[in-house]
Amino acid sequence: MAHLNPRHGSARHENGRHFHILTLRTWLFKASWVLWTLSFAPLIPVLWLSGRPPRVVRRITRLWARGTLSLLAAWTGIIHRVHGDCHVPLRPALILGNHQSPWETIAALVLFPDLAIIAKQELLKIPVLGWYLRYSPMVIIDRGDTTGSVRSMVAACRDALSDGRSLLIFPEGTRQPVGSPIIFKRGVELLYRTLGLPALVFAHDSGRFWPAGSVLRSGVITVSLLPPIPPGLDAREFFQQSQRMLADEVARLTG
């Protein structure tokens, strides 16, 4: 007759209990996040009647982002630390980041001063938040209209730059699980060549704590800002160098 090891049974019990606690904390965070976001809805008519002033909309959006990160820390224990914050651009720059979870989109609004995120059109459909993103304004791309999307993206980027704002793009195009190879979509080198900006690589390991379709795990997200790539490189050289820098740094953070 097989004998059960009481230690194994106890370990399974503790693991199960820990998972249930994480699940509860995840749902409490998500519920409070929804309520926090909805609390900004009453301001929309006021902002609309005031002419939707972009600077005010952006200030309120950053307040929402800071509050979201505070709720995340309070309910799930997820905080972050930044290495290389001396590289935060004082003038407009092209910021390239890896994409593992919703965290980096939210945190970028806090980490970088006056930012325009190059984002998918689907984000505008999010209740309340979509309105603020539209009138911040972010640079919204329509993936169904390739030619028109590129032209409108470049024009919107130039508008953001003229307002003194940096640009953030996730060159992978969509969220990728931890451990996936970093592969850039085409287009980032076009922005680099056309806009003539220095490029800052923004790496993190958020997917370790906010994995897709799972509970959130407490811990410290590490953010690494690498020395900027100067403008004026050959587009292909820039593409390869920036992709390699981001891949190497993400591998170091998640390895």
Side-chain angles (χ1 to χ4, degrees):
M1 179 177 178
H3 294 280
L4 295 177
N5 188 328
R7 292 184 180 178
H8 292 169
S10 176
R12 284 196 296 270
H13 176 74
E14 286 300 316
N15 288 338
R17 181 172 176 272
H18 183 62
F19 179 79
H20 289 313
I21 291 174
L22 289 178
T23 301
L24 175 61
R25 293 173 71 178
T26 296
W27 282 107
L28 287 171
F29 161 67
K30 290 183 177 180
S32 62
W33 188 19
V34 169
L35 292 175
W36 171 245
T37 302
L38 291 177
S39 71
F40 287 79
L43 292 175
I44 292 177
V46 177
L47 292 169
W48 185 275
L49 293 173
S50 303
R52 308 183 299 277
R55 292 185 182 275
V56 176
V57 174
R58 290 198 292 274
R59 196 173 296 123
I60 294 172
T61 305
R62 286 195 293 275
L63 173 64
W64 169 85
R66 290 190 183 95
T68 298
L69 294 181
S70 295
L71 290 172
L72 186 66
W75 286 118
T76 71
I78 295 176
I79 59 175
H80 68 275
R81 63 185 174 196
V82 181
H83 297 294
D85 53 0
C86 60
H87 298 308
V88 172
L90 300 178
R91 295 183 178 181
L94 179 63
I95 302 170
L96 316 177
N98 60 308
H99 204 7
Q100 294 181 349
S101 77
W103 180 87
E104 52 269 18
T105 306
I106 301 165
L109 297 170
V110 176
L111 295 173
F112 303 108
D114 220 3
L115 187 71
I117 300 175
I118 301 174
K120 298 177 293 187
Q121 195 175 38
E122 290 86 342
L123 289 178
L124 299 182
K125 298 177 183 179
I126 300 174
V128 183
L129 179 59
W131 189 92
Y132 283 92
L133 293 178
R134 180 185 294 275
Y135 294 108
S136 288
M138 298 299 170
V139 177
I140 302 300
I141 55 176
D142 180 2
R143 293 185 296 183
D145 178 15
T146 306
T147 304
S149 176
V150 170
R151 286 198 300 264
S152 61
M153 177 179 67
V154 171
C157 287
R158 291 191 186 280
D159 288 342
L161 292 174
S162 67
D163 202 24
R165 305 167 69 196
S166 289
L167 303 165
L168 171 65
I169 186 170
F170 298 111
E172 295 168 284
T174 188
R175 291 198 293 264
Q176 301 293 332
V178 174
S180 297
I182 302 291
I183 301 175
F184 285 6
K185 302 290 186 183
R186 308 302 304 187
V188 64
E189 75 275 26
L190 170 68
L191 290 177
Y192 172 80
R193 184 182 69 243
T194 304
L195 301 174
L197 297 172
L200 176 71
V201 172
F202 160 47
H204 58 84
D205 59 351
S206 70
R208 296 172 57 203
F209 309 98
W210 194 332
S214 184
V215 298
L216 280 69
R217 307 184 184 108
S218 61
V220 181
I221 295 172
T222 301
V223 177
S224 183
L225 308 182
L226 302 182
I229 301 171
L233 297 182
D234 173 77
R236 182 176 179 180
E237 180 185 357
F238 161 75
F239 185 90
Q240 294 175 343
Q241 179 180 339
S242 58
Q243 181 175 254
R244 183 175 61 253
M245 287 175 64
L246 184 57
D248 289 349
E249 189 65 10
V250 170
R252 188 185 70 82
L253 294 177
T254 59

